[in-house]
Amino acid sequence: SGNVTKNSTKLEGDYKRRLPQAIIIGVKKCGTRALLEYLRLHPSIKATGPEPHFFDRYYHLGLEWYSLFHILLLFLCHIDGIIPLSACRQKMPKSSEGHITIEKTPRYFVTAEVPRRICSMSKSTKLILVVRDPVTRAISDFTQAVSKGEYNDTVTFGSKAVRKNGAVNAKWSAINIGLYAYHMRRWLDYFPTENVHIVDGEHLIRNPIHELNLVQDFLGLERKITSDSIYWNSTKGFPCIVKPHKTPRYRCFKSTKGRQHSYADDYTLNLLHNFYEPHNKMFYAMVKRNFRWRA
Ligand code: A3P
């Protein structure tokens, strides 16, 4: 029986180790993929490639499933065509003592049950939130939906964002996700502000190393991600990654990241800026930081 106890203790240890200590909870279209890929450059960070969607979609499968997610992924990668090769390339290596496991699922930020669920896994989970001007975010979201064929050519950003009676269509997810204060309040019911680190998505583009230093500090890690591994690619117009010992050596993000936005007319833009202004102010107060998005 001594053996059994020993084995089960070990198993329990392995299982706990695979649960993430930090989660990028959102926000969709604010730079969550770029942040995760940058963080992966740190030798002490192990990150999942695809979005696990555990706390929003697969919670009923239980924490053990979540911890085994990466192993499952490894297995599926051996069967051709089930998941895209790009996802397999990003599979998570086994994490070990001293490593931080991290995942990103932007849907978590706007799903009501998720803060409670993450809190019940561990109250000390570190949460990372990337934000940008909600108006820009909404256009980016719409651009993505159009590219996925969700709207036909006659649908414009303005025609979706503004109702026929002239009011902002706040129920439309592209608009609703940008009500940061509304969503943030639910997280602060479960986590103290010290557990939530906010990344300025615009700074992440213009000065990624600065934002990454702050994230590494927040995670309690040595600052090891340097300008040697992230460079500005003027063709892409965005930062890209250098991996000296890998082929390809230089890697920019896919064309779905950092793409040209759909047209948005001035009337709609103005209406949306005014619509978001009070919400943005509430968010600034909540997180004690002024992002100065256009009022
Ligand atoms: P746009 O395509 O609207 O410019 P997410 O990964 O959360 O979906 O966010 C996508 C956004 O990440 C992009 O939105 C882009 O602005 C931003 N981003 C930040 N750093 C980037 C990088 N190095 N390369 C490409 N996009 C980046």
Side-chain angles (χ1 to χ4, degrees):
S1 76
N3 245 348
V4 172
T5 322
K6 214 172 159 192
N7 281 343
S8 65
T9 314
K10 186 177 179 301
L11 271 179
E12 206 169 273
D14 281 350
Y15 150 68
K16 283 211 178 108
R17 208 160 55 209
R18 283 192 296 265
L19 291 173
Q21 291 81 29
I23 304 180
I24 301 173
I25 57 172
V27 181
K28 183 187 180 193
K29 301 320 295 170
C30 292
T32 55
R33 171 57 60 190
L35 178 63
L36 190 78
E37 295 307 316
Y38 294 152
L39 289 177
R40 198 195 289 287
L41 296 168
H42 195 291
S44 301
I45 293 181
K46 301 293 171 200
T48 50
E51 297 172 4
H53 279 284
F54 173 67
F55 293 101
D56 57 336
R57 268 186 220 154
Y58 301 119
Y59 194 64
H60 59 282
L61 297 176
L63 276 176
E64 264 128 287
W65 178 88
Y66 187 41
S67 72
L68 289 171
F69 173 78
H70 318 296
I71 291 178
L72 188 74
L73 194 67
L74 258 169
F75 171 72
L76 289 176
C77 285
H78 284 103
I79 309 169
D80 277 355
I82 289 199
I83 41 180
L85 214 65
S86 59
C88 293
R89 249 186 264 122
Q90 297 166 352
K91 69 186 176 286
M92 194 187 105
K94 241 192 193 160
S95 64
S96 57
E97 223 67 70
H99 279 135
I100 285 190
T101 306
I102 182 164
E103 68 121 310
K104 79 119 174 162
T105 305
R107 189 85 210 150
Y108 291 164
F109 182 59
V110 296
T111 307
E113 304 79 26
V114 173
R116 180 176 44 79
R117 289 172 174 176
I118 294 183
C119 182
S120 78
M121 173 183 73
S122 168
K123 275 192 182 66
S124 56
T125 310
K126 295 186 173 179
L127 309 172
I128 302 173
L129 185 71
V130 194
V131 292
R132 84 202 274 197
D133 186 326
V135 180
T136 323
R137 200 218 66 81
I139 302 170
S140 176
D141 205 333
F142 175 75
T143 307
Q144 171 162 291
V146 170
S147 81
K148 285 183 172 172
E150 285 171 31
Y151 302 114
N152 65 40
D153 292 349
T154 59
V155 180
T156 61
F157 178 71
S159 71
K160 285 294 296 176
V162 187
R163 292 178 185 283
K164 294 219 165 59
N165 66 6
V168 169
N169 185 2
K171 286 209 172 122
W172 183 35
S173 69
I175 302 294
N176 185 276
I177 292 172
L179 297 170
Y180 299 150
Y182 170 77
H183 301 292
M184 190 69 191
R185 190 165 288 136
R186 285 194 302 254
W187 291 88
L188 296 181
D189 284 345
Y190 290 91
F191 294 93
T193 37
E194 302 82 63
N195 277 40
V196 192
H197 178 75
I198 305 206
V199 173
D200 185 321
E202 294 302 331
H203 291 181
L204 192 65
I205 295 170
R206 288 197 307 271
N207 190 357
I209 298 296
H210 174 73
E211 283 299 327
L212 289 167
N213 280 341
L214 301 180
V215 177
Q216 291 169 92
D217 294 352
F218 171 69
L219 296 175
L221 295 172
E222 246 183 88
R223 295 181 174 187
K224 285 195 172 164
I225 308 171
T226 65
S227 48
D228 292 345
S229 38
I230 299 172
Y231 72 101
W232 181 262
N233 183 308
S234 46
T235 315
K236 169 97 183 168
F238 279 89
C240 297
I241 292 177
V242 195
K243 289 190 172 163
H245 308 297
K246 294 247 168 89
T247 351
R249 214 175 125 100
Y250 302 98
R251 218 191 108 214
C252 289
F253 292 89
K254 290 190 291 190
S255 56
T256 56
K257 303 290 176 188
R259 60 184 148 201
Q260 201 184 343
H261 284 178
S262 304
Y263 170 76
D265 63 276
D266 285 345
Y267 174 79
T268 305
L269 289 177
N270 204 34
L271 196 73
L272 284 181
H273 280 298
N274 291 336
F275 166 78
Y276 277 121
E277 192 190 355
H279 296 280
N280 290 344
K281 282 194 172 142
M282 268 191 278
F283 181 69
Y284 301 160
M286 245 176 216
V287 301
K288 302 180 184 73
R289 186 161 155 197
N290 188 342
F291 288 88
R292 297 174 200 288
W293 294 316
R294 214 211 81 178

